[in-house]
Amino acid sequence: MTKIKVLHIIKSLGRGGAEMLLPETLKMHDKTAFEFHYIYFLPQKNQMEKAILEAGGKVTCFPAKNNLSLVLQYPKISTYCKENKIQLIHAHLPWAGVVARIVGRLTKLPVLYTEHNNFDRYHFLTKAVSTITYKYQTKVLAVSEDAKTALEKRNLFHDIVYVPNGVNTSFFFRENKFKAIEEVDNFKENNSIIGTVAVFRKQKRLAIFIEVALLAQQKNLPFKFLMVGDGPEMESIKNLIDQYKLTNVYLAGLQDQPANYMQYMDVFLITSDFEGLPVALLEAMSMQIVPFCTPVGGIPTIIKDNQNGVLLKSQDPAEILDQLENKIVKEKENFISMKNQARATILAEYSIQRMVIQLETIYAEVLNDEIN
């Protein structure tokens, strides 16, 4: 049987949500029917490369110092496609999408692009370049209804399919035997843990997370705060923790296995200005961690307020803390119910198995249309 050869193109293989999905979907794909190749451009952000190789993918890095030099890698990528007999290109994130469309035009290969965020949130230059090239693709896969609606309003592209992100529910399961972290055990004591797993970027508004921790410490509430991740805002977060003299915040940093830390969390707090469909949120819900999130991007399509999580009324730290206190301390029975409903939602609608079946169906349909 001849395998369908798919090339994924993405800016980096760091620990962002889009990047982490690549090895997870690869593990579930039918390797007898598909062969997967991966090209990325930032050699310093290669954390997912090992997992992809172990899952049977073929990985190549064409180093690029900036977005312009990334786009100028199109001749190398075109040559790679011809030499490896690639049949379909699947791109992720804006600048990888731009270069993929150029390569698609040159090689006459179909190009799929996963829209992970709301197009209106792009930087103006990214938006302009993306707009110019957006028509040179075959199909857009939107991870949220919010992302799909933004594209439809702009009339940028018409063949848009809703393909929500998925999570490995067999692994992200509270009953799994995750590695115990003694320091976190000691830190938690008898407190409820409010946690987050994120790339520390401005859009995440992690200063709000810290201010909630400050108010909780001042009120002597039985809450501790656990932050997993790293990024451009890390120094700013460290400075706030020092400035406020917080003893109730644990910075775990970047972790190869964030689930080892997530096992301690009771709440997953997202205070972002905008999101697509956060993979970390799906993983948390699969582990029966109750989400408390700003109602942005695809989040309101997942969270049914006060049923499987909480949609925050505002980004005001005092109001967020009030909601946390009410749900965790004063409404214990409903809080336990929300834990169970969070996982039930993921099992029913957001499993990685469902996502992979949908992707493979789309790949086959696109190639069949090309032949006909």
Side-chain angles (χ1 to χ4, degrees):
M1 179 180 177
T2 303
K3 294 182 181 181
I4 295 172
K5 295 187 176 184
V6 179
L7 169 63
H8 286 277
I9 302 179
I10 192 164
K11 187 171 182 177
S12 82
L13 287 177
R15 292 204 165 273
E19 295 87 343
M20 293 181 72
L21 270 175
L22 295 179
E24 292 303 315
T25 51
L26 179 58
K27 292 172 189 175
M28 299 292 171
H29 274 301
D30 181 358
K31 312 295 196 312
T32 64
F34 295 90
E35 179 178 298
F36 290 93
H37 297 241
Y38 301 81
I39 286 176
Y40 72 108
F41 306 94
L42 302 182
Q44 71 275 23
K45 293 188 176 182
N46 65 348
Q47 290 89 352
M48 292 296 103
E49 181 172 350
K50 182 181 177 183
I52 290 172
L53 291 171
E54 289 176 347
K58 302 174 188 297
V59 183
T60 302
C61 180
F62 291 139
K65 294 180 180 179
N66 51 46
N67 290 328
L68 176 59
S69 61
L70 184 160
V71 172
L72 292 177
Q73 300 298 317
Y74 73 86
K76 293 180 180 178
I77 302 172
S78 299
T79 300
Y80 183 96
C81 289
K82 292 172 184 175
E83 290 178 347
N84 291 276
K85 298 179 181 178
I86 299 299
Q87 295 164 269
L88 184 149
I89 298 171
H90 187 170
H92 308 262
L93 306 178
W95 286 94
V98 171
V99 72
R101 294 173 204 123
I102 294 171
V103 172
R105 289 278 286 178
L106 292 173
T107 60
K108 295 183 170 52
L109 290 173
V111 176
L112 307 184
Y113 176 63
T114 293
E115 187 61 81
H116 290 273
N117 284 300
N118 185 317
F119 189 90
D120 294 332
R121 296 286 187 174
Y122 285 6
H123 182 275
F124 76 92
L125 179 59
T126 305
K127 197 182 297 182
V129 177
S130 296
T131 299
I132 292 168
T133 61
Y134 220 80
K135 59 185 176 181
Y136 301 128
Q137 56 196 355
T138 309
K139 194 182 291 287
V140 172
L141 316 181
V143 305
S144 69
E145 290 290 355
D146 177 67
K148 186 172 183 285
T149 301
L151 292 173
E152 290 170 340
K153 284 182 179 177
R154 284 179 164 270
N155 202 28
L156 268 177
F157 198 78
H158 298 287
D159 195 351
I160 307 169
V161 184
Y162 175 47
V163 183
N165 292 333
V167 60
N168 185 340
T169 55
S170 298
F171 177 77
F172 289 96
F173 182 37
R174 179 68 75 170
E175 304 306 318
N176 266 1
K177 293 182 179 179
F178 297 106
K179 179 183 176 182
I181 312 294
E182 185 177 354
E183 285 187 8
V184 181
D185 268 321
N186 295 334
F187 172 75
K188 178 180 173 72
E189 295 179 322
N190 295 317
N191 298 280
S192 295
I193 295 288
I194 318 301
T196 195
V197 179
V199 178
F200 288 16
R201 299 191 182 105
K202 285 186 178 180
Q203 75 177 71
K204 302 294 184 179
R205 297 293 298 275
L206 294 172
I208 296 173
F209 188 98
I210 295 299
E211 287 165 12
V212 174
L214 170 63
L215 293 175
Q217 182 166 291
Q218 290 172 343
K219 293 183 70 173
N220 200 30
L221 291 173
F223 299 158
K224 293 285 183 75
F225 294 78
L226 173 59
M227 305 178 77
V228 181
D230 201 349
E233 294 297 297
M234 175 59 93
E235 285 306 311
S236 174
I237 294 303
K238 286 180 177 177
N239 290 338
L240 282 176
I241 291 171
D242 290 341
Q243 178 186 333
Y244 295 149
K245 296 180 172 57
L246 297 180
T247 59
N248 64 344
V249 178
Y250 186 101
L251 274 179
L254 190 65
Q255 297 294 329
D256 288 336
Q257 295 293 338
N260 292 335
Y261 290 80
M262 293 169 72
Q263 67 176 313
Y264 295 97
M265 297 179 187
D266 299 286
V267 165
F268 196 83
L269 179 60
I270 292 180
T271 52
S272 302
D273 282 333
F274 62 93
E275 290 284 355
L277 186 62
V279 176
L281 169 61
L282 303 181
E283 294 169 348
M285 291 176 69
S286 186
M287 291 182 67
Q288 296 175 286
I289 303 168
V290 179
F292 280 60
C293 307
T294 44
V296 294
I299 290 174
T301 64
I302 311 172
I303 298 177
K304 307 306 176 190
D305 194 29
N306 209 37
Q307 296 178 33
N308 62 0
V310 175
L311 294 174
L312 298 175
K313 294 182 175 64
S314 77
Q315 289 175 304
D316 177 71
E319 288 193 26
I320 292 172
L321 185 62
D322 282 346
Q323 286 187 269
L324 287 168
E325 187 176 5
N326 286 336
K327 300 302 178 187
I328 299 173
V329 178
K330 300 176 183 177
E331 300 176 17
K332 289 183 179 180
E333 287 188 13
N334 188 45
F335 188 74
I336 293 170
S337 173
M338 284 195 288
K339 285 186 174 187
N340 296 328
Q341 287 302 312
R343 179 165 171 82
T345 299
I346 302 303
L347 287 171
E349 302 177 46
Y350 297 97
S351 72
I352 198 80
Q353 293 87 347
R354 185 271 321 150
M355 181 184 179
V356 166
I357 290 170
Q358 191 176 3
L359 286 174
E360 290 184 355
T361 301
I362 291 170
Y363 293 159
E365 287 174 351
V366 167
L367 288 174
N368 187 56
D369 290 344
E370 289 289 314
I371 293 171
N372 296 329

